[in-house]
Amino acid sequence: METSPLTREDWLNQALTELKARGHGALKAQPLAKSLNVTRGSFYHHFDSLSDFHTAVIDHWSRQSSGQIIQAAQAAADPCKALDDLLQTTFRSGQALERAIRAWSTVQPLVAKAVATVDHDRIGVAEALLIRGGVAAIKAKPRAQLLYWAAIGRLMMPYPAESVLSSAEISDIAGLMLETDVGKG
Amino acid sequence: METSPLTREDWLNQALTELKARGHGALKAQPLAKSLNVTRGSFYHHFDSLSDFHTAVIDHWSRQSSGQIIQAAQAAADPCKALDDLLQTTFRSGQALERAIRAWSTVQPLVAKAVATVDHDRIGVAEALLIRGGVAAIKAKPRAQLLYWAAIGRLMMPYPAESVLSSAEISDIAGLMLETDVGKG
DNA sequence: TATGCAACATACATAGGTGTATGGTGCTTT
DNA sequence: AAAGCACCATACACCTATGTATGTTGCATA
C-alpha cells in the first residue's frame, strides 16, 4: 500500500516485473496503471507515449545488465575455475526476464539492437576467459560463441528449470572447451 | 488474386506466414482476414474462436516439423560427417518461423508444450549421432543438449544472419563434440 | 427444380486499448 | 500567503479487436 508519489523509475521497475511475469504484451499503460493502483494520468505524466515508454524500458534493462557484465569480467581469477563457475551458474538459474526480453526482441527492432549490444559484451567476456585458459585466440571466439548460444538456447527452452545439467556434465563441457588439440583422441 | 474458396488449411498456412513475418501478435482474426481479402465471417466459419484457431496453428506447426525430424534421423549415413553436415546447416540458415514460435512459447503454455515435444525429439537425433560417432553414452546426452541449445540460441540472436561460423570453426566444434578423452591435452 | 449446405458478408453489442484536454490536490518556494 | 509545479484523476473521442446473429450467394445433389 504505497501512498507516496510514483517516480519514473517506479514505472520502469514495474515494467520489468510485468515483463518478466507476463511478457512484453503486458507493457501497456492501462494494465500497468492498474497494477500500480493509479490511473493512466500518471503514466502520461511521466512518459509521452507508449513507444517512448518502451524505449525507456529497454534503456533501463540495458543499464541494469551492462553492470552485471562488468562484474562478471572482474570476477575472473583462475580462468579455468572461472569458466566452470560461469557455466555452472548460467546453466542452472532460470532467468525469466532475459527470456521475455529476447522474445520481445523478435518483434521490436529497438529491443533487438539493445540485446545485440549486451550479447556482444558477454561473448567478449567468455572469449577472454577461454584465451586466459590456454585456448588459441582463433579457436576461442567460436567456442565462446558456442557457449553463449547454448546459454541463451537453454534459457529459451519451454521449461528451463527442467533443462539442467549435472555438475559432472558441465565440467565435461568446460574441459572440452579448454581442449587445445582436437582430433588426437 | 485467388478467387477460389478458402479452406481451413489456407488459413493455417497464412497463419504461419504471418507468424514468421510479424510474430504471434499478428495471429488475430481481423488482420488475417484482411490479408486474405475476406472478412471475419470466413474465419468464424472455419474456427470456433481465436484460441481454437491458435491450437490449430500449433498442431499445424507440430506436424510440419515432426516430419522434418524423421527425415533428419534417416539421413545419418556416416555419423561423423552427418554431425558436421547437421551443424553446418543448422548454424547457417536463419529460421524466422522457429524464432517466432519460440517467442510465442514464452507466453503460451500450449505452444510451450508443443515446442518441448519437438525439442525432445531433435535432441534424441543429435544424441544418437554422437553415440554412433564413438562418444560414450553418458557424455553423449549432455553434449547433444549443448549442441541443440547452441542451435536454438543462435537463431534467437537479434540478427541471426550475422551470427555465422565459418566451415573451419564449425569443424573444430564438431571435432570437440566427438572427443572421447578430455583433459589429456 | 427445389433444397440444402459450404463459404462468405454484414451488422451489432461489447470490451479494452490509446491520446488528449482539463481539472483537482498538496507541497515548495519565494 | 500566493504562485507554481509535480502528481494524479476524470472525461471524451477514437480505434481495433472479439463473438454472435443473421443475411446472401453459388454449387451439389436428390
Side-chain angles (χ1 to χ4, degrees):
Chain A
M1 298 285 187
E2 274 301 331
T3 61
S4 60
L6 292 176
T7 154
R8 192 182 155 97
E9 269 235 349
D10 290 335
W11 277 95
L12 294 178
N13 288 330
Q14 182 70 8
L16 291 188
T17 300
E18 291 293 308
L19 181 58
K20 175 177 177 177
R22 307 185 216 280
H24 68 273
L27 296 185
K28 301 176 182 181
Q30 200 139 298
L32 283 175
K34 196 156 293 183
S35 76
L36 285 172
N37 291 323
V38 290
T39 65
R40 292 177 306 130
S42 175
F43 179 88
Y44 284 100
H45 171 72
H46 290 290
F47 306 95
D48 290 348
S49 69
L50 243 197
S51 55
D52 175 48
F53 174 65
H54 286 163
T55 68
V57 172
I58 304 166
D59 282 20
H60 195 58
W61 175 79
S62 291
R63 276 183 239 290
Q64 185 174 296
S65 48
S66 66
Q68 298 177 352
I69 293 172
I70 296 175
Q71 269 198 337
Q74 249 67 351
D78 174 25
C80 295
K81 181 162 176 39
L83 177 66
D84 199 279
D85 284 351
L86 181 64
L87 295 186
Q88 295 283 356
T89 61
T90 195
F91 281 158
R92 285 166 173 274
S93 64
Q95 315 200 39
L97 178 58
E98 177 103 18
R99 217 168 120 82
I101 287 269
R102 303 196 88 89
W104 190 13
S105 76
T106 65
V107 290
Q108 252 292 337
L110 283 173
V111 182
K113 196 176 175 183
V115 168
T117 301
V118 171
D119 286 345
H120 182 266
D121 295 345
R122 289 188 190 158
I123 293 179
V125 171
E127 182 184 358
L129 269 182
L130 288 178
I131 290 180
R132 284 169 41 190
V135 177
I138 313 131
K139 291 183 177 179
K141 201 181 71 182
R143 289 187 191 182
Q145 277 218 348
L146 182 82
L147 282 177
Y148 186 69
W149 289 345
I152 298 302
R154 194 204 67 90
L155 73 88
M156 274 303 188
M157 289 291 111
Y159 308 100
E162 298 179 4
S163 295
V164 179
L165 297 182
S166 71
S167 298
E169 290 169 339
I170 294 176
S171 293
D172 174 54
I173 303 290
L176 272 184
M177 289 303 140
L178 292 173
E179 201 78 6
T180 53
D181 49 349
V182 181
K184 317 292 181 176
Chain B
M1 299 281 189
E2 274 301 330
T3 60
S4 60
L6 292 176
T7 154
R8 191 182 156 98
E9 270 234 352
D10 290 334
W11 277 94
L12 294 178
N13 288 329
Q14 181 69 9
L16 292 188
T17 299
E18 291 293 307
L19 181 57
K20 174 177 177 178
R22 309 185 213 281
H24 67 274
L27 295 185
K28 302 177 182 181
Q30 199 137 301
L32 283 176
K34 196 156 294 181
S35 75
L36 285 172
N37 291 322
V38 290
T39 67
R40 292 176 307 130
S42 174
F43 178 89
Y44 284 100
H45 171 72
H46 290 289
F47 306 97
D48 290 347
S49 69
L50 242 198
S51 54
D52 175 47
F53 173 65
H54 286 163
T55 68
V57 171
I58 304 166
D59 281 19
H60 196 57
W61 175 78
S62 290
R63 275 184 241 289
Q64 185 174 295
S65 48
S66 66
Q68 298 175 352
I69 293 172
I70 296 176
Q71 268 198 336
Q74 249 67 354
D78 173 26
C80 296
K81 180 161 177 39
L83 177 65
D84 198 280
D85 285 351
L86 181 64
L87 295 185
Q88 295 283 355
T89 60
T90 198
F91 281 158
R92 285 167 172 273
S93 65
Q95 313 199 40
L97 177 58
E98 177 104 17
R99 218 169 120 83
I101 286 269
R102 303 195 89 89
W104 190 13
S105 77
T106 65
V107 290
Q108 251 292 336
L110 282 174
V111 182
K113 196 176 176 184
V115 168
T117 301
V118 171
D119 287 345
H120 183 266
D121 295 345
R122 288 186 189 158
I123 292 177
V125 172
E127 182 183 358
L129 269 182
L130 288 178
I131 290 180
R132 286 169 40 190
V135 177
I138 312 130
K139 292 184 178 179
K141 200 181 71 183
R143 289 189 190 182
Q145 278 217 348
L146 181 82
L147 282 178
Y148 186 70
W149 290 345
I152 298 302
R154 193 204 69 89
L155 73 86
M156 274 304 184
M157 288 292 113
Y159 308 101
E162 298 178 5
S163 294
V164 179
L165 297 181
S166 71
S167 298
E169 290 169 339
I170 294 176
S171 293
D172 174 55
I173 303 291
L176 273 184
M177 289 305 141
L178 292 173
E179 201 79 5
T180 54
D181 49 349
V182 181
K184 316 292 182 177

